[in-house]
Amino acid sequence: MKSNDISVCLINKDSGNEIARCLDSVKSFADEIIVVDTGSEDNSPDLARQYGAKLVSHRWSNDFSAARNVYLKAAQCSWILVMDSDEVLDIDAATILKWALAEQPKTAFFLNIHNYFHSDKMSCWSGPDDMTEEIMPGVSVSLSTSIRLFPKYSRIQYSYAV
């Protein structure tokens, strides 16, 4: 293991429409890709393999933590980057993250998450005014932060069903 090698880890189920974009965004950044498949019936496992991902099957038990702990166990790199199969890593983020790992080798990193949605389909919900903005007619973005990049330590585990 190098000190800044990165396992990109995600959970997948029937995300064939999105997973290729996700994996394409991390392929030059990741030293390994771990995909925990929870019972897909589409082509997403095959797409993951085409990107060189290590595919691990895990029966879905309505527990995100259990599935996430599967990829933590399978990951072989010094760092874990957690993504959802419908997310894309910003092109500039890879450079910034590699620099951050070198500068702060024992730190967990919060990443800014931009969630885009069709606001006309979300008429029953809207986020706080300072967290949601319309970026073009009918499309809004919700901003959040979450720890998504952290060192791999055997004592780090997810808990609770989420």
Side-chain angles (χ1 to χ4, degrees), residues 7 32 34 54 56 69-77 152:
S7 296
E32 80 172 342
I34 309 292
K54 177 179 181 182
V56 181
N69 288 331
V70 170
Y71 62 56
L72 290 180
K73 185 176 179 180
Q76 298 297 308
C77 293
K152 179 179 168 74

Side-chain angles (χ1 to χ4, degrees), residues 29 81 88-100 111 149:
F29 175 74
L81 174 64
V88 177
L89 185 66
D90 181 270
I91 194 162
D92 296 326
T95 303
I96 294 166
L97 291 176
K98 287 280 190 176
W99 172 84
L111 299 184
L149 179 63

Side-chain angles (χ1 to χ4, degrees), residues 41-137:
E41 296 180 3
D42 69 354
N43 66 337
S44 54
D46 293 330
L47 289 170
R49 283 188 202 95
Q50 288 175 17
Y51 279 88
K54 177 179 181 182
L55 195 67
V56 181
S57 294
H58 175 74
R59 184 182 176 125
W60 180 246
S61 61
N62 290 325
D63 185 345
F64 282 98
S65 291
R68 289 176 177 150
N69 288 331
V70 170
Y71 62 56
L72 290 180
K73 185 176 179 180
Q76 298 297 308
C77 293
S78 302
W79 288 89
I80 306 291
L81 174 64
V82 174
M83 295 191 62
D84 291 343
S85 60
D86 64 347
E87 294 178 330
V88 177
L89 185 66
D90 181 270
I91 194 162
D92 296 326
T95 303
I96 294 166
L97 291 176
K98 287 280 190 176
W99 172 84
L101 296 180
E103 293 295 314
Q104 300 292 329
K106 296 184 181 198
T107 302
F109 295 90
F110 283 91
L111 299 184
N112 292 322
I113 314 298
H114 297 232
N115 297 297
Y116 297 91
F117 58 92
H118 293 280
S119 52
D120 59 340
K121 293 181 182 177
M122 302 290 284
S123 60
C124 62
W125 175 89
S126 65
D129 290 338
D130 61 340
M131 294 293 288
T132 306
E133 60 184 74
E134 190 165 87
I135 58 169
M136 62 177 52

Side-chain angles (χ1 to χ4, degrees), residues 12-13 31 37 40 46 55 86 101 108-109 123 139 141 151 159:
N12 172 66
K13 183 171 183 186
D31 295 288
D37 189 79
S40 291
D46 293 330
L55 195 67
D86 64 347
L101 296 180
F109 295 90
S123 60
V139 177
V141 60
S159 58

